């Protein structure tokens, strides 16, 4: 992406992208959070954006990586790393060799460990500040960025951070645009040299698919029909169900009609 030279010096941005995994089919795809990071970078004015992927370019993963190119890029930098390697040192070296002022990444990968620690380890190694749960970049001027951080319950917090900085995005960031097939096929992969560091702890782990476990139901005891009705109609914040004890269907129906009469819903 070419910046507009009439607006002053370009803001160099690097977006770390990875191969995602579809939650239903398990097929390789562009990672949702990484794609949101690309969309966020493209919203920055006068930005020169580069894509960086650390891993192997296999036949299975190539369509997923090309979907990033289909968002409007001519090339993607590929940092060749074997399976089971620790990519943090190689990515840090590549960023130090570049002149990037902002690095954007997803909060966690959809494949592999998926621990979400890589942005923290990368920021610690580079000595850069880290801002998580980024919702928007409001402005970048005088070596300082004004950011909007997403908080629970829809709240937002405005932060100011000095550049260079590392930012991570989650589901609160803007939704990514659709990938265009033509630019995705025409885009090129640019190989970037980097060191290889073995991840010894990872080689000793045993990985297996996770299985869903049943959630415990919370037992609610109420003393009046009104309380029982409110407990049955209330939605749990955790998404779990509720179990009512010692309530017959007739008592429940009578409580509902009594409440409706009190609220003058039935006329």
């Amino acid at each position: 992406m070419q910046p507009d030279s009439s607006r002053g010096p370009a803001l160099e941005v690097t977006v770390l992208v990875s191969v995602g995994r579809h939650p239903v089919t398990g097929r390789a795809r562009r990672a949702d959070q990484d794609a949101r990071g690309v969309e966020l970078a493209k919203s920055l004015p006068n930005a020169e954006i580069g894509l960086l992927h650390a891993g192997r370019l296999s036949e299975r993963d190539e369509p997923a990586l090309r979907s990033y190119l289909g968002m409007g890029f001519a090339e993607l930098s590929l940092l060749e790393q074997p399976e089971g390697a620790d990519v943090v040192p190689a990515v840090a070296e590549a960023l130090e060799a570049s002149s990037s002022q902002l690095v954007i990444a997803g909060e966690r990968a959809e494949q592999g460990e998926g621990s979400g620690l890589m942005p923290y380890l990368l920021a610690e190694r580079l000595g850069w500040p880290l801002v998580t749960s980024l919702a928007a970049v409001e402005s970048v001027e005088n070596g300082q960025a004004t950011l909007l951080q997403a908080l629970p319950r829809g709240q937002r917090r405005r932060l100011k951070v000095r550049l260079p900085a590392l930012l991570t995005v989650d589901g609160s960031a803007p939704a990514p645009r659709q990938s265009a097939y033509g630019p995705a096929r025409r885009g090129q992969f640019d190989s970037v040299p980097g060191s290889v560091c073995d991840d010894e702890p990872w080689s000793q782990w045993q990985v297996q698919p996770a299985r869903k476990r049943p959630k415990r139901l919370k037992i609610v005891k109420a003393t009046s029909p009104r309380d029982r009705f409110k407990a049955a109609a209330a939605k749990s914040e955790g998404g779990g169900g509720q179990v009512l004890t010692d309530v017959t269907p007739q008592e429940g129906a009578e409580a509902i009609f009594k409440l409706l009469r009190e609220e003058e819903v039935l006329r």
Side-chain angles (χ1 to χ4, degrees), residues 90-104:
V91 174
E93 291 175 3
L95 294 176
E96 289 175 344
S98 67
S99 55
S100 298
Q101 299 169 277
L102 275 180
V103 177
I104 304 177

Side-chain angles (χ1 to χ4, degrees), residues 63-241:
L65 294 176
R66 286 196 175 277
S67 63
Y68 293 109
L69 294 172
M71 298 178 68
F73 296 91
E75 64 178 13
L76 184 149
S77 298
L78 182 63
L79 188 60
E80 290 283 353
Q81 293 288 300
E83 186 177 358
D86 185 5
V87 300
V88 173
V91 174
E93 291 175 3
L95 294 176
E96 289 175 344
S98 67
S99 55
S100 298
Q101 299 169 277
L102 275 180
V103 177
I104 304 177
E107 288 202 339
R108 65 179 64 251
E110 297 179 357
Q111 297 193 64
E113 298 178 39
S115 63
L117 289 177
M118 180 180 174
Y120 295 90
L121 298 175
L122 191 58
E124 181 183 15
R125 188 179 184 92
L126 294 173
W128 293 3
L130 171 67
V131 178
T132 61
S133 302
L134 184 68
V137 179
E138 294 186 338
S139 64
V140 178
E141 54 185 7
N142 299 326
Q144 192 176 56
T146 302
L147 312 174
L148 205 60
Q149 185 184 42
L151 299 178
R153 302 184 183 275
Q155 299 180 0
R156 296 291 185 267
R157 175 167 56 191
R158 182 172 286 105
L159 301 173
K160 290 188 176 181
V161 60
R162 291 191 177 276
L163 304 181
L166 198 152
L167 316 175
T168 62
V169 300
D170 56 9
S172 59
R177 67 190 64 189
Q178 185 176 0
S179 178
Y181 179 78
R185 299 305 304 173
R186 291 191 298 267
Q188 302 294 326
F189 294 100
D190 182 20
S191 181
V192 178
S195 61
V196 178
C197 181
D198 294 334
D199 192 351
E200 296 181 0
W202 169 258
S203 61
Q204 300 175 0
W205 293 354
Q206 294 182 356
V207 182
Q208 63 183 9
R211 293 181 297 177
K212 291 186 178 181
R213 297 182 179 180
K215 296 182 179 180
R216 292 182 178 271
L217 300 178
K218 183 180 179 181
I219 300 178
V220 179
K221 295 183 179 180
T223 57
S224 66
R226 181 181 181 88
D227 294 337
R228 288 194 291 267
F229 174 72
K230 290 176 62 178
K235 183 178 180 181
S236 176
E237 293 184 359

Side-chain angles (χ1 to χ4, degrees), residues 1 7 11 36-47 49 73 104 135-138 174 177:
M1 182 176 180
R7 297 185 179 181
L11 173 67
R36 291 176 183 269
V38 175
E39 185 66 30
L40 182 65
K42 290 184 70 68
S43 66
L44 299 176
N46 198 30
I49 307 170
F73 296 91
I104 304 177
V137 179
E138 294 186 338
R177 67 190 64 189

Side-chain angles (χ1 to χ4, degrees), residues 240-252:
Q242 293 181 332
V243 177
L244 301 180
T245 60
D246 301 331
V247 179
T248 63
Q250 184 178 359
E251 290 178 345

Side-chain angles (χ1 to χ4, degrees), residues 26-41:
R27 294 180 179 178
R29 65 164 188 176
R30 65 177 183 180
D32 179 70
Q33 293 182 357
D34 295 346
R36 291 176 183 269
V38 175
E39 185 66 30
L40 182 65

Side-chain angles (χ1 to χ4, degrees), residues 16-66:
L16 306 181
V17 297
S18 62
V19 178
R21 178 184 176 89
H22 195 279
V24 178
T25 63
R27 294 180 179 178
R29 65 164 188 176
R30 65 177 183 180
D32 179 70
Q33 293 182 357
D34 295 346
R36 291 176 183 269
V38 175
E39 185 66 30
L40 182 65
K42 290 184 70 68
S43 66
L44 299 176
N46 198 30
E48 185 176 354
I49 307 170
L51 305 180
L52 177 62
H53 170 70
R56 297 185 304 169
L57 184 61
S58 62
E59 184 179 354
R60 175 179 176 270
D61 297 341
E62 183 177 352
L65 294 176
R66 286 196 175 277

